[in-house]
Amino acid sequence: MTFDAGIVPGYPFKDGKWDSVMKGRVLWAVYLYEQGIIRNIIFSGGAVYSPYAEARIMGLYAQQLGMPAAHIFYETKAEHSTENVFYSYQIARQQGFKSIALVTDPFQSSMMKGFTRRRFGTRITHIPFMVDTLKRLNHVDVAIDPSPAYVQPFQSILERERFFRRFRGTLGAFIPWEDKWRRKAGPL
């Protein structure tokens, strides 16, 4: 099966380099694009824990890996996994995409299954990375100039919000649902 787009949730960019989780997500997304499984990638994530928009950082890495910029879309509002999916779903709708997948690590994929199944009018297929395939790709290491992803003014979510509010955000409490009563997004 081929998907119009793969949604890749962000991960914090710290110390000027990509973390193993971010690297895994980006390598897997580019691999799926190269295999023809996804036609486009929506990288998602704002400047949440560091002053770098996670989506933009991932896009810079993907381009260094050979991913064409014309097939990369950016969602930079999200501060939580649920928001990554919701706002990326909106971009998919705006672009006229009809089939989408969640491209991430196995842990996040399993944590998001109930949310994606219940809250969206169009099915979101999960494609968690395969560890054995990722091991073959993991030798790749590229450098980027992160300055295009730098966001100012910036204040970490840890400084802006208390734990309980962040937890509620993680559960999707602040998502602007179309159907507010059922907390659901319509079909693409």
Side-chain angles (χ1 to χ4, degrees):
M1 184 167 195
T2 301
F3 299 90
D4 291 333
I7 297 169
V8 182
Y11 198 82
F13 179 69
K14 296 185 236 169
D15 304 322
K17 60 185 187 275
W18 57 359
D19 172 275
S20 61
V21 174
M22 180 189 284
K23 183 177 183 180
R25 292 178 187 180
V26 173
L27 288 174
W28 184 240
V30 172
Y31 174 80
L32 293 175
Y33 172 80
E34 290 171 346
Q35 298 301 307
I37 297 169
I38 57 175
R39 291 191 272 279
N40 300 282
I41 299 175
I42 303 170
F43 287 115
S44 177
V48 184
Y49 292 94
S50 79
Y52 294 93
E54 296 165 3
R56 300 270 179 213
I57 289 291
M58 292 187 298
L60 290 167
Y61 277 114
Q63 288 179 56
Q64 285 296 317
L65 293 166
M67 178 79 192
H71 292 277
I72 298 175
F73 297 86
Y74 298 98
E75 182 292 301
T76 58
K77 291 183 207 171
E79 295 188 330
H80 306 283
S81 299
T82 51
E83 293 173 359
N84 289 131
V85 176
F86 175 81
Y87 290 122
S88 295
Y89 189 88
Q90 303 308 316
I91 289 172
R93 178 182 287 146
Q94 292 162 3
Q95 295 300 318
F97 299 154
K98 298 297 178 197
S99 57
I100 55 177
L102 180 63
V103 177
T104 188
D105 57 89
F107 178 75
Q108 184 177 51
S109 178
S110 69
M111 296 300 291
M112 296 294 292
K113 273 201 173 159
F115 176 77
T116 59
R117 187 178 58 248
R118 289 189 309 270
R119 302 284 183 215
F120 297 91
T122 297
R123 182 174 182 220
I124 299 173
T125 301
H126 288 233
I127 310 178
F129 63 64
M130 295 173 59
V131 176
D132 60 336
T133 303
L134 210 53
K135 282 182 183 176
R136 289 197 321 262
L137 304 172
N138 202 34
H139 70 280
V140 174
D141 202 15
V142 294
I144 61 163
D145 169 11
S147 62
Y150 190 72
V151 175
Q152 274 301 60
F154 170 75
Q155 186 179 27
S156 168
I157 194 169
L158 298 173
E159 298 166 2
R160 289 183 284 115
E161 297 181 1
R162 293 182 179 269
F163 172 80
F164 186 67
R165 181 167 176 82
R166 291 193 316 270
F167 182 70
R168 289 184 63 222
T170 299
L171 299 176
F174 309 115
I175 291 175
W177 296 104
E178 299 156 32
D179 180 341
K180 293 186 188 315
W181 179 253
R182 294 185 338 177
R183 295 181 51 175
K184 189 167 183 169
L188 294 174

